[in-house]
Amino acid sequence: MTLRSVVLGTGHYLPDRVIENSWFEERLDTTDEWIRARTGIERRHFAAEGQATSDMGIRAARAALDKAGLRPDDIDGIILATSTPDHTFPASATMIQHGLGMTHGFAYDVQAVCAGFVFALANGDAMIRSGMARRVLVIGSETFSRILDWSDRGTCVLFGDGAGAVVLEGQEGAGASEDRGILASDLNSDGQYRDLLYVDGGVSTTGTAGQLRMQGNLVFRHAVEKLAKTAHTALDKAGLTTADVDWLVPHQANARIITATAQKMGLSMDKVVLTVADHGNTSAASIPLALSVADAQGRFRPGDVIVTEAIGGGLSWGSVVLRW
Ligand code: ACO
């Protein structure tokens, strides 16, 4: 028998304020047409003034718990993927823990930028399989609107705010690829590329939060090269091939990257969950948001094989394969 981390429920939260591409046309030398054609993004949500990453994480976590039919008391720990925490410390996960009324269990943040949720999911799975926890809330929540340079048209049009969450539970499996739950993961980082995508501030350097800087076309090339590869590696570890894949739930950075990755994997676009048009790039929140939206639409069936993949600052990238 093998312990498997099964997804019991998903949930998400998007702030009320919706920003259409036309909002940028009024402020920058850009067009709705350029943004749609180059990224697939049509609109994004921005957090309200005073609305923190943990506030959105609490809403998404509650929704996931409701879907799973569980209460905060049933959870052993919280892992939050974020690069936009409420404070430098403590971990924003502890704010979420408190907001849920929990005084037990662990709560910590994982920082792998846009790949954060994949890293957090693999982390939650490792804790469950090692017996350190039975049920873990894995959350991605981001307020990237707070670290954007509004004069940089190459970055500020790309990002949005939001949160998504999943509840994982350890269940006995046979140790075979037919098991439900997380079957395999593949995580990678390579700090030689740190200057391609970073924030130009920090506690031990400038003492400020800083603003996002990106060499978009270079990140684009790495994404197209690395995402299909990590998905293949994780599928291989799971004893599966792309022919077994029912759904690709990719990080939602750019529709062109997603299409190129699906093509490389030989998957038709009707197997791909796409939310980038309505959410923009919500960094570590994008995969749990896409999972939760597709789940709420009833698109996943028990037994479906789902592949998630993401790349972000670091560079850091990875993939998780799970059976629904
Ligand atoms: N409106 C109009 N023109 C623009 C805009 C804009 N909003 N932004 C850039 N341009 C211009 C550039 O100035 C450039 O003009 P020039 O040729 O006169 O110099 C031209 O468009 C082409 O610029 P590129 O950067 O080469 O455009 P590209 O086709 O690569 O698209 C984009 C840019 C959308 C950023 C793309 O490179 C991309 O999606 N990159 C990957 C982003 C990503 O996946 N990031 C990883 C996750 S994010 C994270 O970890 C936080």
Side-chain angles (χ1 to χ4, degrees), residues 29-31 34-35 38-39 113-114 144 153-154 157-159 197 212 214 216-217 219-220 223 251 253-254 256-257 281 283 311-313:
D29 181 16
T30 191
T31 59
W34 191 96
I35 300 170
R38 305 307 291 169
T39 72
V113 204
C114 294
F144 261 54
R153 66 179 182 171
V157 302
L158 304 175
F159 295 91
L197 176 51
L212 186 144
M214 178 167 72
N217 44 11
V219 176
F220 192 101
H251 170 47
N254 185 315
R256 286 158 54 219
I257 295 174
N281 180 349
S283 191
I311 186 166

Side-chain angles (χ1 to χ4, degrees), residues 34-51:
W34 191 96
I35 300 170
R36 279 175 197 248
R38 305 307 291 169
T39 72
I41 298 167
E42 297 175 22
R43 60 193 63 82
R44 72 289 288 142
H45 295 245
F46 283 162
E49 209 181 315
Q51 191 171 34

Side-chain angles (χ1 to χ4, degrees), residues 17-35:
R17 190 173 170 219
V18 178
I19 303 290
E20 302 286 341
N21 288 345
S22 54
W23 188 85
F24 293 96
E25 288 183 323
E26 293 158 17
R27 291 162 175 82
L28 287 165
D29 181 16
T30 191
T31 59
D32 171 46
E33 197 188 4
W34 191 96
I35 300 170

Side-chain angles (χ1 to χ4, degrees), residues 184-223:
S185 48
D186 176 59
L187 305 182
N188 311 270
S189 305
D190 190 343
Q192 72 172 302
Y193 300 118
R194 63 196 180 280
D195 293 340
L196 298 189
L197 176 51
Y198 67 103
V199 166
D200 63 5
V203 180
S204 69
T205 50
T206 61
T208 61
Q211 290 179 322
L212 186 144
R213 306 290 169 211
M214 178 167 72
Q215 296 181 50
N217 44 11
L218 294 181
V219 176
F220 192 101
R221 269 185 242 162
H222 280 284

